Amino acid sequence: MSNLYDEANGLEKALRESTEYKELVALYEQVNADESAKNMFDNFRDIQLKLQQKQMAGQEITQEEVDHAQKSVALVQQHETIARLMEAEQRMSMIIAELNKIIMKPLEELYGAVE
Amino acid sequence: MSNLYDEANGLEKALRESTEYKELVALYEQVNADESAKNMFDNFRDIQLKLQQKQMAGQEITQEEVDHAQKSVALVQQHETIARLMEAEQRMSMIIAELNKIIMKPLEELYGAVE
Ligand SMILES: [Ca+2]
Ligand SMILES: [Ca+2]
């Protein structure tokens, strides 16, 4: 068991020291330091979150809500720093997914596909 | 990046070689080798999965379905090997959750709470 936690801590450290994580932190701080960028990004996140929650609750999403969400995506994508932050977040999500895939191999082998 | 994958592979190996994983595999094979135990366990899993899917789809779960699920839990818990397998699965779930918590620390620090 202790070896498991040592290994997990090693991976945590490697993630923290990765270029991709450092870039993500730098961009996140840059957006947060700029009040108008921060507001734009927070608003975008709110809209996304509310849509996700409705979807998960099985509630219907109106065309108006879809349009509103698409407009907020288009808006943040025009902001250079936010666009770069979102790209960095996407790269980080992909890394996390790949790491999880590696770590979960023993369980996937056992169960076929892990839910 | 290569360091990240080295570390993930190290963790994967530690998980595969852990007592908890080996115990889980042994119990899983023991249940699968016994046809009546396997049928009982598969049936239990089916019932659980269907309830989960209904819950996630926001569909109502009837009292009859709850009773049926509880009976199938009581049934598998009376089977010594299946009960031990389920305990081993629970321990593995807790380990995975702890490992995830460790690995996700850098992102949790960045975002406050990671969704
Ligand atoms: Ca290591
Ligand atoms: Ca770009």
Side-chain angles (χ1 to χ4, degrees):
Chain A
M1 271 297 272
S2 75
N3 190 35
L4 261 179
Y5 291 112
D6 288 348
E7 290 293 339
N9 282 316
L11 179 53
E12 190 263 355
K13 191 162 175 284
L15 185 62
R16 191 183 292 278
E17 288 169 359
S18 67
T19 317
E20 290 81 0
Y21 180 70
K22 286 179 185 165
E23 208 170 83
L24 178 61
V25 172
L27 286 164
Y28 193 72
E29 283 171 356
Q30 218 175 310
V31 167
N32 277 321
D34 174 342
E35 202 181 341
S36 95
K38 187 184 179 332
N39 286 338
M40 196 191 285
F41 193 55
D42 285 349
N43 179 54
F44 164 74
R45 277 285 143 90
D46 276 354
I47 294 168
Q48 297 280 315
L49 193 66
K50 272 175 201 150
L51 275 191
Q52 272 176 22
Q53 286 168 341
K54 283 192 92 169
Q55 244 169 352
M56 280 170 61
Q59 290 169 356
E60 206 168 336
I61 290 161
T62 64
Q63 187 57 45
E64 204 186 333
E65 286 173 311
V66 174
D67 292 345
H68 187 48
Q70 282 174 346
K71 268 179 204 155
S72 79
V73 175
L75 190 69
V76 290
Q77 277 173 345
Q78 277 163 30
H79 191 291
E80 178 68 18
T81 318
I82 299 179
R84 284 175 60 211
L85 172 58
M86 287 168 66
E87 283 166 15
E89 287 185 332
Q90 238 172 349
R91 279 194 298 275
M92 184 53 66
S93 291
M94 284 173 62
I95 289 172
I96 298 294
E98 282 180 75
L99 297 179
N100 269 321
K101 209 175 150 193
I102 293 170
I103 300 160
M104 288 301 143
K105 253 189 257 166
L107 292 171
E108 206 193 308
E109 281 173 21
L110 186 59
Y111 291 113
V114 181
E115 311 89 283
Chain B
M1 269 297 270
S2 75
N3 191 34
L4 262 179
Y5 292 111
D6 288 348
E7 290 293 339
N9 283 316
L11 180 54
E12 190 262 355
K13 190 162 176 284
L15 186 62
R16 191 182 293 275
E17 288 169 358
S18 67
T19 318
E20 290 82 0
Y21 180 70
K22 287 179 183 163
E23 210 170 81
L24 178 62
V25 172
L27 287 163
Y28 193 71
E29 284 171 355
Q30 219 176 309
V31 167
N32 277 321
D34 174 343
E35 202 181 339
S36 95
K38 187 186 179 333
N39 285 338
M40 196 191 285
F41 193 54
D42 284 350
N43 179 52
F44 164 74
R45 276 286 142 88
D46 275 355
I47 293 168
Q48 297 280 314
L49 193 66
K50 271 176 202 151
L51 275 191
Q52 271 176 23
Q53 285 168 340
K54 282 193 90 170
Q55 243 169 351
M56 280 170 62
Q59 290 168 356
E60 207 167 336
I61 290 160
T62 65
Q63 187 56 45
E64 204 186 334
E65 286 174 311
V66 173
D67 292 345
H68 187 50
Q70 282 174 346
K71 270 179 203 154
S72 78
V73 174
L75 190 70
V76 291
Q77 277 173 345
Q78 277 164 29
H79 190 292
E80 177 68 17
T81 320
I82 299 180
R84 284 174 59 210
L85 172 57
M86 285 167 66
E87 281 164 20
E89 286 186 333
Q90 238 172 350
R91 278 195 299 276
M92 185 52 67
S93 291
M94 283 172 62
I95 289 171
I96 298 295
E98 282 180 75
L99 297 179
N100 269 321
K101 209 175 148 192
I102 293 170
I103 300 160
M104 289 301 144
K105 253 188 259 167
L107 291 172
E108 206 193 307
E109 282 173 21
L110 186 59
Y111 292 113
V114 182
E115 313 86 282

